[in-house]
Amino acid sequence: MVVPTEMISAGVLETAGREVRLVTRPATDVEAHHFQLVRVPVPRVRPGQLLVRNTWMSVDPYMREAMKPVSHLPAVNPGDVPYGGALGYVVESRASGIAVGATVTHFSGWRDYAVVDAADAKVVDTESAPAAFYLGALGDTGLTAYATLTEVAPIREGDVVFISAAAGAVGSIAGQIARKLGAAAVIGSAGGPAKVRRVVEHFGFDAGIDYRSESLSRRLAELAPEGIDYYFDNVGGDHLEAAIDALRDRGRIAMVGAVSGYNAPQPPPGPRNLFALGGKNAALYGMHVVAYEHLRTEWVRRAANWLAEGSLHTDQTVVEGLEQAPAALHGVLHGANTGKMLVRIN
């Protein structure tokens, strides 16, 4: 296949590229010295595969969980390149149906060049939305929020909903979807007054709680005096405990993330009030987005329409350069982002 001239002039036909490897497993907080940026030969492509020059990579809290000695996720061990969502253009194709020049998403981030099985790559339409949106609102981030609220634990008309990490990638979209699906009120928690304002003024939540300076339990009681019906959990820990206290009879909790415990050297203890769910006839639902691929086309269609009409808002926090990926992961674990944390690979 012939690579387009503009790609050749951009220098994509290099013989080597960079990748970020985990050097030592973090005991607590993830830091730059746990990683190494190395230069490696551009990998060879076998039949049925694509060579992709990555231009964007996603940075998500679960990446820290995968670096632990014991995790429910596929392990990232010392010497490995962490996995994660990425987007780029095809510079070599040995697969039918995906041409050189196509923009694709895949799960081999943290590197300049990725060899991807064609079955694991998704061609995206960059004419209808900016490419990076397919790692955020139009990608797994948005799909996580949508699948949770429509299939895992569906929103009911009139629900009072509480969402943690509401200024983050998933939470900010989840709050907007909840309102579109009939929630009567949506309350979000975020860290700091600027993020709380963003949650209310930009993402359309009814109210926000600054968990850094306010009591979660007290503010939930003030904002939802009759209790909440639904908790969309991205944080775990004290947020989950406060939500259980506030939950009404037959309430639901969707367990999507637990960022408060990802840096903990040992698994944190469960909420002290977990058994209260029994007395409330409440339900806990687990969510892992890989089980909801069947909803992707539906979600992308609906989300693209909402984005085009201006009724769905999304934010991005962009870090420049592959070498800054470890710093971006540190940042997302400490709330440095509003919306989706991305690294632009140059």
mmCIF file of all heavy atoms in Angstrom, residues 275-314:
data_model
loop_
_atom_site.group_PDB
_atom_site.id
_atom_site.type_symbol
_atom_site.label_atom_id
_atom_site.label_comp_id
_atom_site.label_asym_id
_atom_site.label_seq_id
_atom_site.Cartn_x
_atom_site.Cartn_y
_atom_site.Cartn_z
ATOM 1 N N PHE A 275 -24.163 -2.785 55.319
ATOM 2 C CA PHE A 275 -25.332 -3.624 55.576
ATOM 3 C C PHE A 275 -26.628 -2.816 55.618
ATOM 4 O O PHE A 275 -27.721 -3.384 55.513
ATOM 5 C CB PHE A 275 -25.167 -4.413 56.880
ATOM 6 C CG PHE A 275 -26.185 -5.503 57.049
ATOM 7 C CD1 PHE A 275 -26.158 -6.618 56.221
ATOM 8 C CD2 PHE A 275 -27.183 -5.402 58.001
ATOM 9 C CE1 PHE A 275 -27.109 -7.624 56.353
ATOM 10 C CE2 PHE A 275 -28.133 -6.402 58.146
ATOM 11 C CZ PHE A 275 -28.092 -7.520 57.308
ATOM 12 N N ALA A 276 -26.510 -1.503 55.735
ATOM 13 C CA ALA A 276 -27.722 -0.665 55.708
ATOM 14 C C ALA A 276 -28.479 -0.816 54.396
ATOM 15 O O ALA A 276 -29.687 -0.554 54.334
ATOM 16 C CB ALA A 276 -27.351 0.800 55.923
ATOM 17 N N LEU A 277 -27.778 -1.257 53.345
ATOM 18 C CA LEU A 277 -28.454 -1.475 52.068
ATOM 19 C C LEU A 277 -29.552 -2.528 52.192
ATOM 20 O O LEU A 277 -30.569 -2.467 51.503
ATOM 21 C CB LEU A 277 -27.445 -1.910 51.002
ATOM 22 C CG LEU A 277 -26.398 -0.876 50.589
ATOM 23 C CD1 LEU A 277 -25.351 -1.501 49.679
ATOM 24 C CD2 LEU A 277 -27.062 0.305 49.892
ATOM 25 N N GLY A 278 -29.346 -3.514 53.068
ATOM 26 C CA GLY A 278 -30.368 -4.534 53.269
ATOM 27 C C GLY A 278 -31.654 -3.960 53.803
ATOM 28 O O GLY A 278 -32.750 -4.252 53.293
ATOM 29 N N GLY A 279 -31.541 -3.125 54.807
ATOM 30 C CA GLY A 279 -32.732 -2.519 55.394
ATOM 31 C C GLY A 279 -33.441 -1.563 54.462
ATOM 32 O O GLY A 279 -34.630 -1.273 54.646
ATOM 33 N N LYS A 280 -32.717 -1.082 53.458
ATOM 34 C CA LYS A 280 -33.322 -0.154 52.500
ATOM 35 C C LYS A 280 -33.791 -0.863 51.225
ATOM 36 O O LYS A 280 -34.221 -0.188 50.278
ATOM 37 C CB LYS A 280 -32.304 0.938 52.130
ATOM 38 C CG LYS A 280 -31.910 1.822 53.310
ATOM 39 C CD LYS A 280 -30.970 2.934 52.886
ATOM 40 C CE LYS A 280 -30.663 3.841 54.077
ATOM 41 N NZ LYS A 280 -29.963 5.073 53.700
ATOM 42 N N ASN A 281 -33.682 -2.180 51.198
ATOM 43 C CA ASN A 281 -34.045 -2.927 49.981
ATOM 44 C C ASN A 281 -33.325 -2.369 48.758
ATOM 45 O O ASN A 281 -33.881 -2.308 47.658
ATOM 46 C CB ASN A 281 -35.563 -2.890 49.752
ATOM 47 C CG ASN A 281 -36.329 -3.562 50.869
ATOM 48 O OD1 ASN A 281 -36.199 -4.761 51.073
ATOM 49 N ND2 ASN A 281 -37.105 -2.768 51.607
ATOM 50 N N ALA A 282 -32.098 -1.938 48.971
ATOM 51 C CA ALA A 282 -31.343 -1.265 47.917
ATOM 52 C C ALA A 282 -30.503 -2.267 47.125
ATOM 53 O O ALA A 282 -30.294 -3.408 47.555
ATOM 54 C CB ALA A 282 -30.453 -0.189 48.523
ATOM 55 N N ALA A 283 -30.011 -1.840 45.986
ATOM 56 C CA ALA A 283 -29.254 -2.716 45.101
ATOM 57 C C ALA A 283 -27.941 -2.077 44.697
ATOM 58 O O ALA A 283 -27.866 -0.866 44.466
ATOM 59 C CB ALA A 283 -30.072 -3.033 43.855
ATOM 60 N N LEU A 284 -26.904 -2.918 44.617
ATOM 61 C CA LEU A 284 -25.581 -2.527 44.133
ATOM 62 C C LEU A 284 -25.341 -3.194 42.785
ATOM 63 O O LEU A 284 -25.521 -4.406 42.649
ATOM 64 C CB LEU A 284 -24.506 -3.021 45.104
ATOM 65 C CG LEU A 284 -23.951 -2.093 46.167
ATOM 66 C CD1 LEU A 284 -23.029 -2.876 47.095
ATOM 67 C CD2 LEU A 284 -23.155 -0.974 45.515
ATOM 68 N N TYR A 285 -24.897 -2.410 41.798
ATOM 69 C CA TYR A 285 -24.655 -2.939 40.468
ATOM 70 C C TYR A 285 -23.205 -2.676 40.063
ATOM 71 O O TYR A 285 -22.736 -1.544 40.151
ATOM 72 C CB TYR A 285 -25.572 -2.279 39.438
ATOM 73 C CG TYR A 285 -27.043 -2.528 39.663
ATOM 74 C CD1 TYR A 285 -27.786 -1.675 40.478
ATOM 75 C CD2 TYR A 285 -27.689 -3.605 39.062
ATOM 76 C CE1 TYR A 285 -29.144 -1.894 40.686
ATOM 77 C CE2 TYR A 285 -29.047 -3.827 39.258
ATOM 78 C CZ TYR A 285 -29.763 -2.968 40.076
ATOM 79 O OH TYR A 285 -31.104 -3.187 40.286
ATOM 80 N N GLY A 286 -22.517 -3.707 39.600
ATOM 81 C CA GLY A 286 -21.172 -3.538 39.079
ATOM 82 C C GLY A 286 -21.209 -3.171 37.609
ATOM 83 O O GLY A 286 -22.155 -3.520 36.889
ATOM 84 N N MET A 287 -20.157 -2.470 37.163
ATOM 85 C CA MET A 287 -20.118 -2.032 35.763
ATOM 86 C C MET A 287 -18.706 -2.182 35.210
ATOM 87 O O MET A 287 -17.754 -1.638 35.761
ATOM 88 C CB MET A 287 -20.542 -0.560 35.670
ATOM 89 C CG MET A 287 -20.981 -0.101 34.283
ATOM 90 S SD MET A 287 -19.688 0.059 33.059
ATOM 91 C CE MET A 287 -20.685 0.273 31.594
ATOM 92 N N HIS A 288 -18.570 -2.931 34.104
ATOM 93 C CA HIS A 288 -17.312 -3.013 33.364
ATOM 94 C C HIS A 288 -17.660 -2.812 31.899
ATOM 95 O O HIS A 288 -18.387 -3.620 31.307
ATOM 96 C CB HIS A 288 -16.646 -4.377 33.585
ATOM 97 C CG HIS A 288 -15.239 -4.427 33.085
ATOM 98 N ND1 HIS A 288 -14.544 -5.600 32.932
ATOM 99 C CD2 HIS A 288 -14.380 -3.443 32.710
ATOM 100 C CE1 HIS A 288 -13.330 -5.344 32.472
ATOM 101 N NE2 HIS A 288 -13.206 -4.038 32.338
ATOM 102 N N VAL A 289 -17.157 -1.760 31.317
ATOM 103 C CA VAL A 289 -17.650 -1.291 30.017
ATOM 104 C C VAL A 289 -17.468 -2.307 28.900
ATOM 105 O O VAL A 289 -18.213 -2.295 27.905
ATOM 106 C CB VAL A 289 -17.002 0.062 29.659
ATOM 107 C CG1 VAL A 289 -15.521 -0.103 29.344
ATOM 108 C CG2 VAL A 289 -17.732 0.743 28.500
ATOM 109 N N VAL A 290 -16.505 -3.207 29.013
ATOM 110 C CA VAL A 290 -16.271 -4.153 27.918
ATOM 111 C C VAL A 290 -17.482 -5.050 27.655
ATOM 112 O O VAL A 290 -17.617 -5.624 26.575
ATOM 113 C CB VAL A 290 -15.027 -5.032 28.190
ATOM 114 C CG1 VAL A 290 -13.773 -4.189 28.267
ATOM 115 C CG2 VAL A 290 -15.197 -5.860 29.461
ATOM 116 N N ALA A 291 -18.381 -5.152 28.630
ATOM 117 C CA ALA A 291 -19.574 -5.993 28.460
ATOM 118 C C ALA A 291 -20.692 -5.282 27.705
ATOM 119 O O ALA A 291 -21.739 -5.890 27.443
ATOM 120 C CB ALA A 291 -20.086 -6.452 29.819
ATOM 121 N N TYR A 292 -20.480 -4.018 27.318
ATOM 122 C CA TYR A 292 -21.573 -3.228 26.735
ATOM 123 C C TYR A 292 -21.219 -2.685 25.353
ATOM 124 O O TYR A 292 -21.734 -1.660 24.919
ATOM 125 C CB TYR A 292 -21.960 -2.108 27.706
ATOM 126 C CG TYR A 292 -22.479 -2.691 28.999
ATOM 127 C CD1 TYR A 292 -21.609 -2.913 30.070
ATOM 128 C CD2 TYR A 292 -23.797 -3.103 29.111
ATOM 129 C CE1 TYR A 292 -22.064 -3.522 31.233
ATOM 130 C CE2 TYR A 292 -24.258 -3.709 30.263
ATOM 131 C CZ TYR A 292 -23.392 -3.915 31.316
ATOM 132 O OH TYR A 292 -23.843 -4.536 32.470
ATOM 133 N N GLU A 293 -20.384 -3.422 24.657
ATOM 134 C CA GLU A 293 -19.994 -3.027 23.307
ATOM 135 C C GLU A 293 -21.213 -2.940 22.378
ATOM 136 O O GLU A 293 -21.226 -2.137 21.433
ATOM 137 C CB GLU A 293 -18.976 -4.020 22.751
ATOM 138 C CG GLU A 293 -18.364 -3.639 21.427
ATOM 139 C CD GLU A 293 -17.541 -2.353 21.495
ATOM 140 O OE1 GLU A 293 -16.979 -2.047 22.565
ATOM 141 O OE2 GLU A 293 -17.479 -1.658 20.459
ATOM 142 N N HIS A 294 -22.235 -3.738 22.667
ATOM 143 C CA HIS A 294 -23.418 -3.740 21.804
ATOM 144 C C HIS A 294 -24.158 -2.402 21.813
ATOM 145 O O HIS A 294 -24.992 -2.153 20.941
ATOM 146 C CB HIS A 294 -24.383 -4.854 22.240
ATOM 147 C CG HIS A 294 -24.872 -4.717 23.643
ATOM 148 N ND1 HIS A 294 -24.111 -5.079 24.749
ATOM 149 C CD2 HIS A 294 -26.051 -4.252 24.148
ATOM 150 C CE1 HIS A 294 -24.793 -4.849 25.855
ATOM 151 N NE2 HIS A 294 -25.972 -4.347 25.521
ATOM 152 N N LEU A 295 -23.847 -1.529 22.770
ATOM 153 C CA LEU A 295 -24.499 -0.222 22.844
ATOM 154 C C LEU A 295 -23.686 0.891 22.176
ATOM 155 O O LEU A 295 -24.146 2.032 22.110
ATOM 156 C CB LEU A 295 -24.751 0.163 24.307
ATOM 157 C CG LEU A 295 -25.776 -0.659 25.081
ATOM 158 C CD1 LEU A 295 -25.822 -0.214 26.538
ATOM 159 C CD2 LEU A 295 -27.159 -0.537 24.446
ATOM 160 N N ARG A 296 -22.494 0.566 21.678
ATOM 161 C CA ARG A 296 -21.601 1.627 21.195
ATOM 162 C C ARG A 296 -22.202 2.412 20.032
ATOM 163 O O ARG A 296 -22.197 3.639 20.032
ATOM 164 C CB ARG A 296 -20.239 1.054 20.800
ATOM 165 C CG ARG A 296 -19.228 2.144 20.440
ATOM 166 C CD ARG A 296 -17.868 1.563 20.115
ATOM 167 N NE ARG A 296 -17.289 0.859 21.249
ATOM 168 C CZ ARG A 296 -16.580 1.457 22.209
ATOM 169 N NH1 ARG A 296 -16.387 2.774 22.186
ATOM 170 N NH2 ARG A 296 -16.064 0.738 23.185
ATOM 171 N N THR A 297 -22.699 1.722 19.023
ATOM 172 C CA THR A 297 -23.243 2.419 17.858
ATOM 173 C C THR A 297 -24.406 3.317 18.253
ATOM 174 O O THR A 297 -24.505 4.476 17.803
ATOM 175 C CB THR A 297 -23.696 1.401 16.792
ATOM 176 O OG1 THR A 297 -22.567 0.620 16.384
ATOM 177 C CG2 THR A 297 -24.286 2.113 15.583
ATOM 178 N N GLU A 298 -25.276 2.798 19.095
ATOM 179 C CA GLU A 298 -26.413 3.595 19.578
ATOM 180 C C GLU A 298 -25.936 4.823 20.324
ATOM 181 O O GLU A 298 -26.448 5.934 20.122
ATOM 182 C CB GLU A 298 -27.278 2.717 20.482
ATOM 183 C CG GLU A 298 -28.434 3.427 21.169
ATOM 184 C CD GLU A 298 -29.142 2.500 22.141
ATOM 185 O OE1 GLU A 298 -29.315 1.312 21.823
ATOM 186 O OE2 GLU A 298 -29.529 2.970 23.236
ATOM 187 N N TRP A 299 -24.931 4.645 21.197
ATOM 188 C CA TRP A 299 -24.423 5.772 21.973
ATOM 189 C C TRP A 299 -23.771 6.813 21.071
ATOM 190 O O TRP A 299 -24.052 8.015 21.206
ATOM 191 C CB TRP A 299 -23.425 5.312 23.034
ATOM 192 C CG TRP A 299 -22.610 6.450 23.580
ATOM 193 C CD1 TRP A 299 -21.275 6.644 23.465
ATOM 194 C CD2 TRP A 299 -23.118 7.607 24.272
ATOM 195 N NE1 TRP A 299 -20.904 7.839 24.046
ATOM 196 C CE2 TRP A 299 -22.014 8.436 24.550
ATOM 197 C CE3 TRP A 299 -24.391 8.012 24.683
ATOM 198 C CZ2 TRP A 299 -22.150 9.653 25.223
ATOM 199 C CZ3 TRP A 299 -24.518 9.227 25.345
ATOM 200 C CH2 TRP A 299 -23.411 10.031 25.619
ATOM 201 N N VAL A 300 -22.914 6.402 20.163
ATOM 202 C CA VAL A 300 -22.220 7.361 19.303
ATOM 203 C C VAL A 300 -23.228 8.165 18.487
ATOM 204 O O VAL A 300 -23.082 9.382 18.317
ATOM 205 C CB VAL A 300 -21.203 6.639 18.398
ATOM 206 C CG1 VAL A 300 -20.649 7.597 17.343
ATOM 207 C CG2 VAL A 300 -20.061 6.071 19.229
ATOM 208 N N ARG A 301 -24.257 7.495 17.995
ATOM 209 C CA ARG A 301 -25.278 8.209 17.216
ATOM 210 C C ARG A 301 -25.981 9.252 18.070
ATOM 211 O O ARG A 301 -26.120 10.417 17.661
ATOM 212 C CB ARG A 301 -26.302 7.209 16.660
ATOM 213 C CG ARG A 301 -27.477 7.855 15.929
ATOM 214 C CD ARG A 301 -28.446 6.818 15.424
ATOM 215 N NE ARG A 301 -28.908 5.901 16.467
ATOM 216 C CZ ARG A 301 -29.849 6.210 17.370
ATOM 217 N NH1 ARG A 301 -30.410 7.414 17.358
ATOM 218 N NH2 ARG A 301 -30.210 5.321 18.269
ATOM 219 N N ARG A 302 -26.420 8.867 19.262
ATOM 220 C CA ARG A 302 -27.139 9.804 20.126
ATOM 221 C C ARG A 302 -26.220 10.921 20.604
ATOM 222 O O ARG A 302 -26.600 12.100 20.597
ATOM 223 C CB ARG A 302 -27.750 9.070 21.323
ATOM 224 C CG ARG A 302 -28.791 8.041 20.950
ATOM 225 C CD ARG A 302 -29.486 7.453 22.163
ATOM 226 N NE ARG A 302 -30.447 8.396 22.728
ATOM 227 C CZ ARG A 302 -31.285 8.093 23.721
ATOM 228 N NH1 ARG A 302 -31.257 6.880 24.260
ATOM 229 N NH2 ARG A 302 -32.131 8.987 24.184
ATOM 230 N N ALA A 303 -25.012 10.561 21.012
ATOM 231 C CA ALA A 303 -24.093 11.565 21.539
ATOM 232 C C ALA A 303 -23.672 12.556 20.462
ATOM 233 O O ALA A 303 -23.570 13.763 20.723
ATOM 234 C CB ALA A 303 -22.867 10.884 22.137
ATOM 235 N N ALA A 304 -23.417 12.070 19.246
ATOM 236 C CA ALA A 304 -23.026 12.977 18.156
ATOM 237 C C ALA A 304 -24.129 13.989 17.872
ATOM 238 O O ALA A 304 -23.858 15.182 17.630
ATOM 239 C CB ALA A 304 -22.699 12.166 16.904
ATOM 240 N N ASN A 305 -25.373 13.543 17.926
ATOM 241 C CA ASN A 305 -26.495 14.465 17.727
ATOM 242 C C ASN A 305 -26.566 15.482 18.852
ATOM 243 O O ASN A 305 -26.780 16.680 18.621
ATOM 244 C CB ASN A 305 -27.810 13.686 17.643
ATOM 245 C CG ASN A 305 -27.949 12.920 16.343
ATOM 246 O OD1 ASN A 305 -27.335 13.265 15.343
ATOM 247 N ND2 ASN A 305 -28.751 11.863 16.349
ATOM 248 N N TRP A 306 -26.393 15.032 20.082
ATOM 249 C CA TRP A 306 -26.451 15.947 21.228
ATOM 250 C C TRP A 306 -25.302 16.954 21.188
ATOM 251 O O TRP A 306 -25.491 18.132 21.501
ATOM 252 C CB TRP A 306 -26.404 15.155 22.535
ATOM 253 C CG TRP A 306 -27.668 14.392 22.835
ATOM 254 C CD1 TRP A 306 -28.923 14.650 22.356
ATOM 255 C CD2 TRP A 306 -27.787 13.240 23.668
ATOM 256 N NE1 TRP A 306 -29.820 13.738 22.850
ATOM 257 C CE2 TRP A 306 -29.154 12.869 23.666
ATOM 258 C CE3 TRP A 306 -26.897 12.495 24.437
ATOM 259 C CZ2 TRP A 306 -29.636 11.776 24.400
ATOM 260 C CZ3 TRP A 306 -27.365 11.411 25.156
ATOM 261 C CH2 TRP A 306 -28.722 11.056 25.131
ATOM 262 N N LEU A 307 -24.126 16.486 20.812
ATOM 263 C CA LEU A 307 -22.987 17.404 20.704
ATOM 264 C C LEU A 307 -23.227 18.440 19.620
ATOM 265 O O LEU A 307 -22.937 19.633 19.789
ATOM 266 C CB LEU A 307 -21.706 16.615 20.408
ATOM 267 C CG LEU A 307 -21.117 15.801 21.561
ATOM 268 C CD1 LEU A 307 -20.082 14.814 21.034
ATOM 269 C CD2 LEU A 307 -20.488 16.717 22.607
ATOM 270 N N ALA A 308 -23.770 17.988 18.486
ATOM 271 C CA ALA A 308 -24.015 18.897 17.364
ATOM 272 C C ALA A 308 -25.041 19.962 17.711
ATOM 273 O O ALA A 308 -24.913 21.125 17.305
ATOM 274 C CB ALA A 308 -24.472 18.101 16.139
ATOM 275 N N GLU A 309 -26.066 19.591 18.467
ATOM 276 C CA GLU A 309 -27.105 20.549 18.823
ATOM 277 C C GLU A 309 -26.744 21.374 20.057
ATOM 278 O O GLU A 309 -27.469 22.306 20.421
ATOM 279 C CB GLU A 309 -28.436 19.830 19.045
ATOM 280 C CG GLU A 309 -28.490 18.987 20.303
ATOM 281 C CD GLU A 309 -29.773 18.189 20.443
ATOM 282 O OE1 GLU A 309 -30.457 17.959 19.419
ATOM 283 O OE2 GLU A 309 -30.085 17.762 21.578
ATOM 284 N N GLY A 310 -25.630 21.037 20.705
ATOM 285 C CA GLY A 310 -25.165 21.799 21.857
ATOM 286 C C GLY A 310 -25.801 21.443 23.170
ATOM 287 O O GLY A 310 -25.672 22.194 24.148
ATOM 288 N N SER A 311 -26.471 20.280 23.251
ATOM 289 C CA SER A 311 -27.114 19.897 24.514
ATOM 290 C C SER A 311 -26.275 18.923 25.335
ATOM 291 O O SER A 311 -26.666 18.537 26.430
ATOM 292 C CB SER A 311 -28.487 19.270 24.236
ATOM 293 O OG SER A 311 -28.367 18.023 23.581
ATOM 294 N N LEU A 312 -25.111 18.516 24.819
ATOM 295 C CA LEU A 312 -24.165 17.698 25.575
ATOM 296 C C LEU A 312 -22.831 18.420 25.564
ATOM 297 O O LEU A 312 -22.313 18.787 24.500
ATOM 298 C CB LEU A 312 -24.015 16.307 24.946
ATOM 299 C CG LEU A 312 -23.029 15.359 25.643
ATOM 300 C CD1 LEU A 312 -23.542 14.980 27.023
ATOM 301 C CD2 LEU A 312 -22.786 14.109 24.803
ATOM 302 N N HIS A 313 -22.289 18.649 26.748
ATOM 303 C CA HIS A 313 -21.050 19.406 26.892
ATOM 304 C C HIS A 313 -19.946 18.488 27.391
ATOM 305 O O HIS A 313 -20.177 17.629 28.245
ATOM 306 C CB HIS A 313 -21.241 20.571 27.855
ATOM 307 C CG HIS A 313 -22.339 21.507 27.445
ATOM 308 N ND1 HIS A 313 -22.173 22.458 26.462
ATOM 309 C CD2 HIS A 313 -23.631 21.608 27.856
ATOM 310 C CE1 HIS A 313 -23.311 23.120 26.298
ATOM 311 N NE2 HIS A 313 -24.211 22.614 27.130
ATOM 312 N N THR A 314 -18.747 18.693 26.875
ATOM 313 C CA THR A 314 -17.621 17.870 27.295
ATOM 314 C C THR A 314 -16.384 18.743 27.407
ATOM 315 O O THR A 314 -16.218 19.707 26.650
ATOM 316 C CB THR A 314 -17.400 16.710 26.304
ATOM 317 O OG1 THR A 314 -16.343 15.882 26.773
ATOM 318 C CG2 THR A 314 -17.074 17.227 24.914
#
